[in-house]
């Protein structure tokens, strides 16, 4: 679904800036605790059940679960002050680049108070500087630093869990430093509409403050694309180097896994400004959910395929390699071309290059695309995104279902996003949304679903 708003009238209602949260996502307190416990358990389980020493198999027996539990309880084996120091330095390195590297500065969407925040667009430059620095380290010291990263994976993952939790706690406490109630002459912190419930556990999880900032460092925007996304690339490269050192070459399966993932990360940074219109930035607060997701879950769970292949190298036939490569390329094109069309229409719906696209105009003044990519399905970009991830899982072969967790998890994530999108649009456009769904009846795959 793509919209373009043509009206410039102030549509803000005369209501308190920070109303009390009435609808709690994830069923509120019990759901937030369940999500935190489940995601951390998955992070532990997918390491202690899938590693070089123990192989990679689903924990379907009591003995296997006992092994996971005993490994998790032995925190002295994976809590590493050195790893925590390196993780913190990684975050600070990228934060420094956020400030010092050149780049355009653009304004985000208009907030509830009528203001717009300014953001630096230098993520891709930060990535290139970091990549060149990594190359310089490789030339000077060889493979040792990268092998250390691969061999101390879980120490770094646990450090990411600690760091992200402490950061979420900091921004939660920090949100109380300014009043959330409007008073004349007083600065007011803007809270997320979903994060002002009054329940400290739920608000800590979902994010109380909408845009926590230290000076000009927007913590949510910075964490969204930089430490985790670039850390994912660094981990993938380290696992590829490990495979090269141990096998004398990087096999086709590893290339099939890491090249699409690195391209995805670069694409994300290339279109960094587009994240400013996503729900993560415009709607969600920055709490444990986003902090853990950005800083621990993305780099350490999404690198599963490369980690598996680093200790279980697989060589595919030419036919299978071509099949997976074609699936990656075609899925990425669906994802990128549909998003590019969406972004172009949002930016300038009157662009002559878009005059062939059909749309319906809503009572709110927005335009909903009903042709082009977005006439095929309401969330066609999600379809390309999911198949792109599936191709990366197929790069691990069929020796274990554990490496397909990414695909299964991503499916659940996208279905949840679709639900949020549909509810938001139905509430916003009302009968116009019904009219739109009649013209674009499919959500993901034309003529299927």
């Amino acid at each position: 679904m793509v919209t373009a708003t043509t009206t410039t009238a102030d549509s803000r209602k005369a209501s308190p800036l920070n109303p009390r949260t009435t609808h709690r996502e994830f069923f509120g307190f019990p759901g937030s605790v369940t999500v935190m416990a489940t995601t951390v358990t998955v992070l532990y389980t997918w390491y202690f059940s899938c590693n070089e020493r123990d192989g990679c198999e689903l924990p379907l027996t009591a003995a296997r679960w006992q092994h996971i539990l005993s490994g998790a309880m032995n925190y002295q084996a994976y809590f590493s002050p050195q790893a925590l120091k390196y993780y913190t330095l990684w975050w600070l390195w990228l934060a420094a680049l956020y400030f010092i590297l050149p780049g355009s500065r653009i304004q985000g969407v208009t907030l509830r108070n009528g203001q717009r925040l300014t953001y630096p667009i230098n993520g891709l430059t930060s990535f290139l500087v970091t990549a060149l620095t990594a190359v310089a380290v490789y030339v000077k010291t060889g493979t040792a630093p990268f092998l250390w990263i691969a061999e101390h994976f879980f120490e770094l993952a646990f450090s990411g869990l600690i760091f992200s939790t402490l950061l979420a706690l900091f921004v939660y406490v920090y949100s109380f430093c300014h009043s959330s109630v409007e008073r004349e002459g007083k600065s007011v912190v803007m809270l997320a509409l979903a994060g002002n419930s009054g329940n400290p556990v739920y608000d800590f999880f979902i994010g109380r403050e909408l845009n926590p900032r230290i000076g000009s460092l927007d913590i949510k925007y910075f964490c969204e694309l930089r430490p985790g996304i670039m850390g994912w690339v660094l981990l993938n490269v380290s696992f590829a180097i490990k495979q090269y050192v141990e096998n004398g070459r990087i096999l086709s399966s590893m290339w099939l896994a890491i090249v699409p993932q690195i391209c995805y990360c670069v694409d994300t940074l290339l279109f960094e400004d587009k994240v400013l219109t996503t729900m993560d930035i415009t709607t969600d607060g920055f709490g444990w959910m986003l902090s853990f997701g950005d800083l621990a879950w993305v780099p350490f769970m999404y690198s599963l395929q490369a980690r598996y292949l680093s200790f279980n190298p697989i060589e595919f036939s030419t036919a299978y390699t071509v099949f997976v490569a074609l699936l990656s390329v075609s899925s990425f094109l669906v994802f990128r071309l549909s998003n590019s069309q969406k972004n172009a229409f949002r930016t300038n719906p009157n662009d002559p290059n878009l005059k062939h696209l059909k749309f319906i105009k809503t009572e709110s003044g927005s335009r909903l695309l009903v042709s082009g990519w977005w006439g095929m399905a309401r969330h066609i970009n999600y379809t390309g995104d999911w198949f792109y991830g599936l191709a990366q899982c197929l790069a691990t072969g069929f020796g274990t279902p554990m490496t397909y967790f990414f695909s299964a998890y991503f499916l659940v994530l996208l279905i949840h996003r679709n639900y949020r999108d549909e509810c938001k649009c139905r509430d916003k456009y009302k009968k116009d949304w019904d009219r739109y769904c009649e013209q674009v009846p499919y959500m993901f795959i034309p003529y299927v679903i």
Side-chain angles (χ1 to χ4, degrees), residues 366-391:
S366 298
R367 300 177 182 183
L368 304 178
L369 272 179
V370 294
S371 67
W373 285 103
W374 300 92
M376 298 180 185
R378 300 196 293 273
H379 302 282
I380 190 72
N381 57 334
Y382 290 175
T383 304
D385 210 0
W386 185 79
F387 277 102
Y388 194 56
L390 176 63

Side-chain angles (χ1 to χ4, degrees), residues 334-410:
V334 172
F335 168 77
R336 173 41 48 213
L337 293 176
S338 60
N339 276 326
S340 294
Q341 188 179 78
K342 171 186 68 176
N343 293 330
F345 186 72
R346 280 180 172 174
T347 303
N348 182 13
N350 298 314
D351 187 334
N353 294 323
L354 304 175
K355 63 181 181 180
H356 63 286
L357 296 177
K358 299 178 181 179
F359 60 86
I360 61 175
K361 195 165 184 177
T362 68
E363 291 182 358
S364 66
S366 298
R367 300 177 182 183
L368 304 178
L369 272 179
V370 294
S371 67
W373 285 103
W374 300 92
M376 298 180 185
R378 300 196 293 273
H379 302 282
I380 190 72
N381 57 334
Y382 290 175
T383 304
D385 210 0
W386 185 79
F387 277 102
Y388 194 56
L390 176 63
Q392 296 155 28
C393 296
L394 290 170
T396 63
F398 303 96
T400 175
M402 294 199 74
T403 55
Y404 285 79
F405 171 80
F406 174 77
S407 185
Y409 159 77
F410 210 42

Side-chain angles (χ1 to χ4, degrees), residues 28-43:
F29 170 77
S32 59
V33 173
T34 300
V35 171
M36 286 190 283
T38 300
T39 50
V40 172
T41 299
V42 168
L43 185 66

Side-chain angles (χ1 to χ4, degrees), residues 69-279:
L69 182 61
S70 62
M73 294 296 290
N74 185 23
Y75 70 91
Q76 292 177 325
Y78 56 81
F79 171 65
S80 166
Q82 184 183 29
L84 182 57
K85 178 185 71 174
Y86 287 149
Y87 187 95
T88 303
L89 288 174
W90 169 255
W91 196 92
L92 292 174
W93 158 263
L94 293 172
L97 296 182
Y98 176 97
F99 284 109
I100 65 178
L101 290 180
S104 61
R105 301 181 66 82
I106 68 172
Q107 291 186 315
V109 300
T110 303
L111 302 176
R112 298 196 306 273
N113 59 3
Q115 298 178 355
R116 301 174 69 185
L117 298 175
T118 301
Y119 301 87
I121 305 300
N122 57 8
L124 184 60
T125 309
S126 296
F127 175 79
L128 294 176
V129 169
T130 302
L132 289 174
T133 303
V135 171
V137 170
Y138 179 84
V139 170
K140 184 174 179 59
T141 65
T143 61
F146 302 94
L147 293 177
W148 188 93
I149 291 172
E151 292 165 1
H152 293 80
F153 167 82
F154 197 67
E155 290 96 321
L156 291 167
F158 187 63
S159 298
L161 169 61
I162 294 173
F163 189 95
S164 60
T165 301
L166 291 176
L167 181 62
L169 182 61
F170 167 76
V171 296
Y172 175 74
V173 174
Y174 187 69
S175 70
F176 290 96
C177 291
H178 298 286
S179 174
S180 61
V181 180
E182 294 174 279
R183 293 186 178 92
E184 188 175 354
K186 299 289 185 180
S187 60
V188 180
V189 62
M190 183 176 297
L191 306 181
L193 292 177
N196 189 25
S197 71
N199 183 297
V201 175
Y202 172 76
D203 291 346
F204 162 77
F205 166 76
I206 207 71
R208 187 170 185 267
E209 187 171 352
L210 181 62
N211 301 107
R213 288 190 162 206
I214 301 176
S216 61
L217 175 65
D218 190 293
I219 297 175
K220 179 170 66 171
Y221 169 71
F222 169 74
C223 290
E224 183 81 8
L225 296 182
R226 306 202 186 198
I229 291 290
M230 297 185 201
W232 180 12
V233 173
L234 180 60
L235 285 167
N236 277 354
V237 170
S238 298
F239 289 128
I241 289 175
K242 180 177 184 293
Q243 186 184 86
Y244 177 80
V245 170
E246 295 180 355
N247 296 275
R249 64 192 181 101
I250 299 175
L251 277 65
S252 60
S253 54
M254 181 65 83
W255 289 118
L256 287 172
I258 69 171
V259 170
Q261 291 182 350
I262 293 173
C263 288
Y264 185 87
C265 294
V266 172
D267 177 80
T268 300
L269 295 167
L270 184 63
F271 294 93
E272 182 180 18
D273 60 316
K274 308 308 177 189
V275 76
L276 299 178
T277 61
T278 63
M279 291 185 69

